[in-house]
Amino acid sequence: MTSIPVSSKVESILANQVILTSETGTDVDITCATGSVKINGSVPGGGGGGGLPINGAGDITLSPGNLVVQGDGIADGKIQGQTIKSVSTLVVDGGGANITGGISSNGDIQTLGGNTDIISSRDFILDGTQVIKRTDNGGVVDQTEYVRHVGGAIKQETNIFTTTNEFQDNVTISGVGTQLNVPQGTIGSSTANISTGITCGSISVDNGAAGSGQFVNARSFGFKPSGTGSWSMSQQPVTGQVPDVLQIAQSQPYAGAPKYIAITSSDYNPPGDQPNIIIDPQTQALGGKMFINTVQFGRGIDPRIESVPTGPDSNDVKIIIPNNSGQIRFYTNSTDEKLRISNNQINVYDNFYFGDYFFLPQQLIYAFTGAVIDDNPPTLFNDNGAIFTLANNGATGQSLSGTGEGFYKLTINAAASSGGTYGAFRYSCDFPYTTPNFSVGTVITRFEGNFSGANYPATLAKPDLCGFGLAGVDFKLCFPSIPAGTETYSGALTLTKMPYGT
C-alpha cells in the first residue's frame, strides 16, 4: 500500500468526482490510523457484508432518490418519507407502527404475536365486502366471515339471520315493506311489540317451563289459508252486547263447500274418518247446528245423550241415566214440571196426546173407615166432599165435582169386616158422572159392578154402588142380601177419570 503525503493538517481536494482504484483489483479501504473517518461530520458505523453501515446522529437525505434496504430491515430509529414501500411484508416488531399519514400496501399488514393489535383512533374503512377470520389448521387455512365466527348478527340486504343470535336490547325493524323473516330458525323474546302483523309458518308459545305464564293476548286471531278467507276468533265490542263475548266468525258465504269447525281425536285419519265434533254456523236464517255423538252433563258419572257412531244402534238417540236415583224432568218456561222419567216409571203432570187424541187419567184416592155392610148404609162419600187426594200431583182436599164431569172407574179395596163374618173383598164399577147427577129425592139408583171376596157366606149377594140426590149426590156401597147389617169395614176407594168420550 502506498501513502499519499500531505503537508498540512487541513487540505482540500477540489474536484467533481474522486475515483479510487485498487492496485490489486479488490476493495478500497479508507482508514484512519489515529481515529475515525468522518463523512460530512459523521462517522460511518462498523460492520461489513458489502453494504455501507452508517452509525451516526444525523440524517440520511436522498433528494432525489430512494433508500433501498435489501437486508433484514432497519433495526432502530425511524424512517420518514413521502412513501415507504415494502417489496414483501412490512414487519413491525415490538412497539408497533405510528403512522400519521396512511399506509398503502399491495401485500398484507400483519401483526406478530398473540398480544399485538391494530388500533385506530377513528374509523376502519373497508372497500371490500367482508371481515374474515383466518385459521391455520396445520397448513390448511380456513376463512370464515367474522360475524359468523363469533355468532354475531348478520345484516345483509335481505336481513336473513342464519345462526344463533342473541339481542341484548330491542330490535326495531322500520320502513315500508320491511319484514323480519326466520325461514328455518326461531325467535326468542320475553316481549315482542308488533304493531301490524306476523306472517310465519307457526308460532309456539313454549319456554320449556310449566305454569300459567304461557299465553297469547290478542283482540283477534285470523285463520286464513293462502289465497282464501276463512275463520277468525276475536273478542270485539259488539253493539248491544258486552265486550266479553268470544266470537268465532266465518268470513266466506255459506254456499259451496261445507264450512265448519272440526274437532278431531289423535287417531283421526281422513278422508275415511269423520271429525269427532262438527260445529256448523250455517246462516242467520238457518241457524247453527252441531254434530256430536255424546253430550255429557256434569263432570262425573252423570246423565248423557248419545248416539253411537257404529253398530245396530247407530241410528238411535239414547238418553241415559247412570243410576237408580237419576231422573229426566221436563219443565215449561214457568218452571212447571210436565213430565218426569225415572228409573222405573214415567210421570205425566199435564195433558197427554196420542196424535189428536187427548189422554189424561186423573185419580182421586180416599181412605175410609167404619163403612157398614148393609143394604142401605150411611153415605160413603158425597160428590162435593173435599175428602180426596189427587194422585197426579198429590194435591189434597179434592172433590168429585171439582174434578168434573166425565167417565169414571170406581174401585174399593176393603179389609175383612169387624165381626169376621165377611172376609176382604174388592169391588169395581163404571159410572158416568154429570151434575146434577140425580133429581132431588130419595130414590136410590144402583150401578152394577163386579165383586170378588174371600170367606164370605154363600147367601151373600154381590153389592152395588148406590146413589141418590139430596144436596149433591151421596154414594154408598149397598149389600142387598143384608137388610140390617151391623158389621163395619175399612179400605181405600179410588175414582179414576178416563178420557173415554167427549
Side-chain angles (χ1 to χ4, degrees), residues 372-411:
V372 179
I373 298 178
D374 185 73
D375 184 40
N376 189 17
T379 299
L380 187 58
F381 68 93
N382 184 275
D383 66 344
N384 293 323
I387 60 176
F388 293 96
T389 297
L390 183 60
N392 298 55
N393 56 16
T396 60
Q398 305 299 303
S399 66
L400 175 60
S401 61
T403 306
E405 298 180 351
F407 298 92
Y408 286 82
K409 170 76 76 173
L410 179 143
T411 66

Side-chain angles (χ1 to χ4, degrees), residues 11 27 39 42 65-66 74 102 106 113 122 162 179 204 241 245 271 280 283 384 391 406 443-444 470 474:
E11 293 291 343
D27 295 336
I39 300 177
S42 297
N66 297 318
I74 299 175
N106 292 326
R122 293 193 59 187
T162 59
Q179 296 180 351
S204 175
Q241 299 183 17
V245 174
D280 188 351
T283 65
N384 293 323
V443 178
I444 295 177
L470 288 175
D474 292 331

Side-chain angles (χ1 to χ4, degrees), residues 33-57:
T34 60
S36 300
V37 177
K38 294 183 178 181
I39 300 177
N40 200 26
S42 297
V43 178
L52 179 63
I54 298 175
N55 185 359

Side-chain angles (χ1 to χ4, degrees), residues 276-338:
N276 300 71
I277 301 174
I278 293 177
I279 302 174
D280 188 351
Q282 299 194 113
T283 65
Q284 286 291 308
L286 296 175
K289 61 182 178 180
M290 177 185 292
F291 299 85
I292 191 171
N293 292 106
T294 301
V295 177
Q296 182 84 30
F297 301 94
R299 299 182 179 179
I301 303 175
D302 298 288
R304 65 185 184 274
I305 301 174
E306 71 176 21
S307 175
V308 295
T310 59
D313 299 336
S314 59
N315 293 325
D316 300 340
V317 176
K318 300 178 182 179
I319 302 176
I320 299 174
I321 303 173
N323 51 53
N324 293 336
S325 62
Q327 298 177 336
I328 300 174
R329 298 185 179 188
F330 296 85
Y331 291 85
T332 64
N333 56 3
S334 61
T335 69
D336 293 333
E337 188 174 10
K338 298 300 181 182

